[in-house]
Amino acid sequence: RNLNNINSLHLVLLKMVMFTALQSALNAFNRELLARHIRTCVVTDIEKGDLTVVDDLVATIQKLMK
């Protein structure tokens, strides 16, 4: 019985590690995606005089930080 409990605990810990790694990878992807968007679309809109993009950017960053 103890061996089953240890194996169950091991599986739970392994799943937690896998989830954390996946979450980290997604966060890295989101950071890169946002950076590219800022460097291209946001800069272009600001250069055209469209400052509403700043509000959209702030809203996006707030969603990502939840």
Side-chain angles (χ1 to χ4, degrees):
R1 181 175 173 164
N2 278 342
L3 187 56
N4 284 338
N5 288 342
I6 290 171
N7 286 336
S8 294
L9 179 59
H10 184 261
L11 282 175
V12 168
L13 291 174
L14 182 59
K15 287 179 182 182
M16 289 174 64
V17 168
M18 291 171 64
F19 176 78
T20 302
L22 177 60
Q23 192 172 32
S24 178
L26 286 172
N27 285 340
F29 174 79
N30 283 336
R31 280 191 302 271
E32 182 61 28
L33 186 64
L34 182 60
R36 287 177 186 230
H37 179 64
I38 291 169
R39 290 185 186 111
T40 57
C41 300
V42 173
V43 169
T44 299
D45 287 348
I46 290 172
E47 287 174 342
K48 291 179 181 177
D50 182 7
L51 298 182
T52 60
V53 71
V54 175
D55 292 333
D56 294 339
L57 178 60
V58 169
T60 300
I61 291 171
Q62 288 173 341
K63 287 179 187 176
L64 288 174
M65 295 181 77
K66 282 187 177 183

